[in-house]
Amino acid sequence: MNTKIEKILGSEASFYLDHVCRKIGKSLIHAPSSDTVDRLWVGTDRNVRTLCSLQTLLGHGRLAGTGYLSILPVDQGIEHTAGASFAPNPLYFDPENIVRLAIEGGCNAVASTFGVLGAVARRYAHRIPFIVKLNHNELVSYPNTYNQVMFGTVEEAWNMGAVAVGATVYFGSPESRAQLVEVAGAFERAHELGMATILWCYLRNGAFKKDGTDYHAAADLTGQADHLGVTIQADIVKQKLPSGNGGFRAVGFGKTSDAMYDLTTDHPIDLCRYQVANGYMGRVGLINSGGESHGADDLHDAVVTAVVNKRAGGMGLISGRKAFQRPMSEGVELLHAIQDVYLDGDITVA
């Protein structure tokens, strides 16, 4: 095993690396592999061009040919305001540096806005796969809402050379049903044009915070969000790493069963395995988000997230702020550390 990974994990190494999932066994999971497209996607209704786009994503960067993905997402200029996102490292106000970081970091793809990718498309669209984020929740309107607004068309993303489009649905919000219809239509059109689709399956509802506990990342709620995402034919779902469980029960809504909670334990890998299971047992790849930057702990946190995702049966990591809110050389190092987890044959599905 890569001794650097063990060193980063420190005293937690055995906790993450030796765990075995006994509730949902690995024999039930369609884990990523070099033949993922042939094994899982050829028999679906995806057309030939979409299969080619999926293979393009899986065939680029340091993880090419492994079945795993390392994606750099930089849409925070809209989602979190450009100032808050790029002030720690102002060079990323320039779209070219965002794409350069993805290339030098060995990523499979770069995901960003119409503006960012359109500004450099002629120079870079043939050098690294583009994922255009179609919708956003801008933070200038007051009061803020949980609405996701389309910033462009699927055709515009196709014309700039994108191999995939991404979109967000804020499940649980009053606006989510309209977003479901809108995004489902956009994904249908993207598939017609031969692009892959990635859904940010996030939860937003003030009621999901109960008695001082935040259940927005609970395994049961995020798992159901993933299941709704794959139902509208997302090829890949993006989700936060689960923390805790029992969101439905705590908030007091939805339909639950004692058996569904028997499928997990409190271990992070078991909780993430439940997310994978809700993506048709891994037929639709799960990529977990890297989350916000916490400074000195970022490298450790990113490696832990990668280990949990891989051992749960996930497809990879989509990590942005931890990489771009630091000098480029350090961002490249962090992305490589994430990728090293997926390249290490000794780190196996639990």
Side-chain angles (χ1 to χ4, degrees):
M1 181 175 293
N2 188 322
T3 55
K4 183 179 178 181
I5 294 173
E6 289 187 300
K7 184 176 180 181
I8 292 171
L9 294 175
S11 61
E12 300 173 318
S14 179
F15 177 75
Y16 289 110
L17 298 175
D18 296 333
H19 178 73
V20 176
C21 291
R22 302 189 188 282
K23 298 291 187 175
I24 302 176
K26 65 180 180 181
S27 64
L28 300 176
I29 295 294
H30 300 282
S33 63
S34 60
D35 64 346
T36 289
V37 174
D38 289 333
R39 184 168 48 89
L40 298 180
W41 288 106
V42 166
T44 70
D45 63 352
R46 305 314 193 255
N47 62 34
V48 173
R49 292 302 308 166
T50 299
L51 298 180
C52 290
S53 293
L54 286 166
Q55 191 63 56
T56 296
L57 286 174
L58 291 167
H60 191 84
R62 293 183 73 224
L63 298 185
T66 64
Y68 291 104
L69 293 172
S70 169
I71 298 172
L72 177 72
V74 188
D75 60 350
Q76 290 87 350
I78 295 176
E79 296 284 348
H80 303 152
T81 77
S85 300
F86 301 136
N89 202 354
L91 70 94
Y92 290 111
F93 276 106
D94 185 338
E96 185 166 12
N97 289 322
I98 292 172
V99 181
R100 280 184 54 223
L101 175 61
I103 292 173
E104 295 182 23
C107 293
N108 297 72
V110 57
S112 196
T113 66
F114 280 100
V116 165
L117 297 177
V120 295
R122 288 185 181 273
R123 179 169 292 180
Y124 289 106
H126 62 291
R127 295 180 58 186
I128 184 170
F130 277 13
I131 302 168
V132 178
K133 186 73 174 3
L134 298 174
N135 63 2
H136 303 282
N137 182 29
E138 51 80 24
L139 286 179
V140 176
S141 298
Y142 185 81
N144 296 155
T145 69
Y146 297 133
N147 203 16
Q148 287 278 328
V149 180
M150 287 288 180
F151 271 58
T153 65
V154 173
E155 286 78 8
E156 186 179 355
W158 184 82
N159 283 329
M160 76 167 66
V163 302
V165 295
T168 297
V169 172
Y170 278 151
F171 292 104
S173 71
E175 301 87 355
S176 64
R177 290 182 178 177
Q179 292 166 18
L180 268 170
V181 174
E182 190 172 44
V183 173
F187 280 6
E188 180 184 15
R189 181 58 178 147
H191 282 150
E192 288 175 352
L193 293 172
M195 290 186 286
T197 58
I198 303 174
L199 188 65
W200 276 238
C201 294
Y202 286 165
L203 295 163
R204 290 289 189 279
N205 193 309
F208 292 170
K209 295 180 180 180
K210 186 79 170 179
D211 299 328
T213 300
D214 190 344
Y215 291 96
H216 278 91
D220 56 349
L221 290 174
T222 56
Q224 182 60 21
D226 292 350
H227 197 71
L228 293 170
V230 299
T231 301
I232 63 169
Q233 293 205 311
D235 301 322
I236 298 164
V237 295
K238 177 192 176 188
Q239 185 56 268
K240 294 182 178 181
L241 200 69
S243 59
N245 208 349
F248 279 120
R249 285 177 166 174
V251 179
F253 82 113
K255 289 189 178 294
T256 63
S257 163
D258 290 342
M260 64 188 275
Y261 295 106
D262 288 339
L263 292 176
T264 65
T265 70
D266 292 334
H267 197 287
I269 296 174
D270 285 333
L271 294 173
C272 190
R273 174 66 57 84
Y274 187 74
Q275 290 182 338
V276 172
N278 274 279
Y280 301 152
M281 284 296 187
R283 286 182 179 272
V284 175
L286 169 72
I287 53 176
N288 287 118
S289 56
E292 64 183 304
S293 173
H294 294 109
D297 294 332
D298 282 352
L299 181 62
H300 169 269
D301 293 347
V303 168
V304 166
T305 304
V307 169
V308 170
N309 172 272
K310 182 181 183 182
R311 301 211 67 226
M315 196 180 210
L317 221 58
I318 180 163
S319 185
R321 283 169 287 176
K322 285 182 170 62
F324 72 75
Q325 290 184 337
R326 61 186 66 246
M328 186 173 290
S329 60
E330 294 180 17
V332 168
E333 180 183 2
L334 185 139
L335 290 170
H336 284 180
I338 290 170
Q339 294 154 13
D340 286 345
V341 171
Y342 295 97
L343 291 169
D344 194 326
D346 289 329
I347 300 176
T348 59
V349 177

